[in-house]
């Protein structure tokens, strides 16, 4: 929802996140990086697996993001211990809208 105030358009927090150009990829759990499926400059599609992380219980979780674009940089390596707020990589959004039925 956008509001206007003194001629300025004010976007809600969810709108700002949706239309940002660079997205941080973060894991959904704390654990060890098991796989890095991408490299810098790789084009990725929405919901494509980017990393896998094994948590303390031995469960492996795929890390993905709902945006498509170019991998700008990768911040971690296989075997590295990460927390739920660790930035694994940055993606430059191609700003193309997509969807399915």
């Amino acid at each position: 929802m956008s509001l206007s105030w003194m001629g300025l358009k004010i976007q809600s927090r969810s709108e700002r996140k949706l239309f940002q150009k660079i997205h941080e990829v973060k894991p959904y759990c704390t654990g060890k990086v098991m796989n890095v499926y991408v490299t810098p400059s790789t084009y990725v599609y929405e919901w494509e697996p980017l990393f896998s992380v094994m948590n303390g219980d031995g469960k492996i979780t795929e890390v993905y993001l709902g945006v498509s674009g170019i991998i700008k940089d990768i911040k971690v390596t296989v075997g590295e211990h990460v927390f739920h707020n660790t930035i694994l990589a940055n993606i430059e959004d191609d700003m193309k809208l997509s969807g399915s039925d």
Side-chain angles (χ1 to χ4, degrees):
M1 177 174 135
S2 296
L3 301 173
S4 288
W5 179 71
M6 295 179 61
L8 299 172
K9 184 177 177 183
I10 302 169
Q11 294 178 323
S12 69
R13 183 174 292 183
S14 61
E15 282 181 308
R16 286 192 304 258
K17 278 191 167 271
L18 179 64
F19 294 110
Q20 67 188 24
K21 187 72 173 165
I22 303 293
H23 298 273
E24 295 174 338
V25 180
K26 297 180 180 180
Y28 312 113
C29 62
T30 296
K32 184 168 106 173
V33 177
M34 299 303 293
N35 292 295
V36 178
Y37 300 121
V38 293
T39 59
S41 301
T42 302
Y43 183 86
V44 295
Y45 296 95
E46 293 180 54
W47 311 116
E48 179 179 347
L50 307 171
F51 300 88
S52 64
V53 176
M54 183 170 60
N55 69 14
D57 296 334
K59 181 180 178 194
I60 295 180
T61 303
E62 299 286 323
V63 179
Y64 45 82
L65 206 59
V67 298
S68 58
I70 304 288
I71 299 290
K72 296 308 287 178
D73 56 8
I74 296 176
K75 308 270 188 196
V76 297
T77 58
V78 172
E80 190 170 335
H81 188 77
V82 295
F83 297 93
H84 70 280
N85 60 351
T86 303
I87 299 171
L88 305 177
N90 290 302
I91 297 177
E92 184 176 359
D93 196 326
D94 63 9
M95 305 305 274
K96 293 180 182 176
L97 298 178
S98 62
S100 62
D101 299 353

